[in-house]
Amino acid sequence: PVRAQPGEPWKISSISSSLRAIIRLRRQYRVQKKSRLHLELPREKSSELVHARVLQRQLSLNRASLFETSQYFTFDTSVEQYAMKKCRRKKNRRKSRIVLYPDKTKRYLPTEEKSKAKRCLLLLIVIIFFQILNAIENLDDNLQKYDLDGLEKTMHREVFGQKVAVESIMELLKDYLATHIHNKPLVISLNGPTGVGKSHVGWLLAKHFLSVMDNDFVLQYFVMHHCPNGVAPLTCETDLSKKISDMVTRAEMEEKIPLFILDEVELMSPVLLDTLSRFFEPNQTNEFLNAIYILISNIGGGEITKFVIQNASAELLHQQRGGEELLSIIQPVLIDAHPLWKSADIIPFVLLEKSHVINCFLEEMRREGLYPDQKHIENLASQLSYYTTGGKQYSKMGCKQVVAKVNLLYLGCLG
Ligand SMILES: Nc1ncnc2c1ncn2[C@@H]1O[C@H](COP(=O)(O)OP(=O)(O)OP(=O)(O)O)[C@@H](O)[C@H]1O
């Protein structure tokens, strides 16, 4: 290097010559360094690589041990980052897997569209559900309106020896009165021998429906009374038709179901029966479809008496099966009498046993304010005539004579 002599001032030329010397020296040093690196590289590089790998491994071991042994909360995110990286790497590996699709299919999942049909179906289900709920409530309302539970209790309490008949009547009434919309009127025919309680049931029904319906929607028609001998059949026909038409029209306005109880039907003229049968047909206006007819007659009574005596020893009579069998016997007899019975539900009333007659006596005497002892009543019951068969006694006249006997007793007491 060219130095300035002491005391001599610095010259620009001397500075530039020394700079150039420095640059030259640096270049030479670099060239030498490069050539040395080229010569030593293979050996040094491998050792450096080994060193780097050892370091890397140590680092990963430290991380792994840290990850496994970390038990305490730490702000050191290196562990999580490591775990996330690992996870991402796995995902990437999974993504990179090649999926082979068949040639003709779509290579993507179809986009899920919101189905209108599904929504409609759901709405429909909800509507149906509410309609069912509403219908159930309406059924209950109707049954409560006519207090059929109360009627059932009364019938079981006050009608003796006709369990199957009472159950069948109640079932028909419950079914029919559950709704106000019908496609035909309900026609129930009570048939059986004399004094077994057919008219008695008619009275109980009339009393009950008169009490549950505010207005007068019950008609009790007794042929001997409303259409006595000597009155022209046409007059009776017009009169009955008018009575029925008036009542169904009034009842329809109040959404009520009228009850027509026709007693002594066996005494009705064929003309009157024809008239009646027209009201039972299904092809009429609504008001005529919403009505209940109870036909009471002793037609088929002979067949019922025979059946009861023949099956006295069997328990069949007080079972539903017995009622069905009896029905199959008397139905053809009734249809033969008049085709109107084709539209009727027939309820056979069976003969009453002596125990039932005793109950009739008890009930009638209580009604008259008499309270005799059991022996006295049995004595009275024994004065009636019975069919004795299969170890049982069946009253020939049912409880028919009970009222007359009690009346005599009552008069005797008064006397
Ligand atoms: N099963 C019964 N349970 C309670 N009481 C009865 C029964 N059967 C008859 N009675 C009593 O006997 C009386 C006469 O019976 P009811 O008039 O009901 O007989 P019926 O079957 O209609 O006979 P008929 O066909 O002769 O008219 C009734 O008023 C009632 O008091």
Side-chain angles (χ1 to χ4, degrees), residues 158-162 192-203 263-264 266 296-298 349-350 352 356 359-360 363-364 367 397-403:
E158 296 190 22
V159 182
F160 312 124
Q162 305 293 357
T194 189
V196 293
K198 303 182 298 291
S199 301
H200 180 54
V201 167
W203 279 105
D263 211 331
E264 305 160 337
E266 68 275 8
I296 298 173
S297 76
N298 55 24
F349 274 57
V350 292
L352 296 181
H356 304 134
N359 282 340
C360 283
E363 193 60 35
E364 189 58 34
R367 227 175 275 149
M397 300 289 279
C399 287
K400 195 94 180 171
Q401 295 150 313
V402 170
V403 178

Side-chain angles (χ1 to χ4, degrees), residues 106-116 118:
K106 287 180 182 173
R107 297 192 173 198
Y108 51 86
L109 283 172
T111 48
E112 256 187 55
E113 280 173 31
K114 284 186 181 172
S115 159
K116 277 183 187 170
K118 257 188 204 172

Side-chain angles (χ1 to χ4, degrees), residues 316-379:
L316 190 73
L317 291 173
H318 302 293
Q319 292 169 1
Q320 203 73 35
R321 193 164 56 88
E324 283 162 17
E325 213 171 300
L326 199 48
L327 189 66
S328 67
I329 297 168
I330 61 165
Q331 200 169 32
V333 179
L334 288 164
I335 292 171
D336 193 45
H338 195 279
L340 72 79
W341 269 284
K342 278 184 192 165
S343 351
D345 284 293
I346 299 160
I347 310 288
F349 274 57
V350 292
L351 289 174
L352 296 181
E353 291 181 45
K354 195 175 181 181
S355 60
H356 304 134
V357 176
I358 290 171
N359 282 340
C360 283
F361 269 110
L362 259 172
E363 193 60 35
E364 189 58 34
M365 288 170 116
R366 263 193 220 129
R367 227 175 275 149
E368 295 294 335
L370 302 167
Y371 299 95
D373 56 42
Q374 185 73 17
K375 209 147 190 226
H376 190 185
I377 293 173
E378 276 178 27
N379 221 357

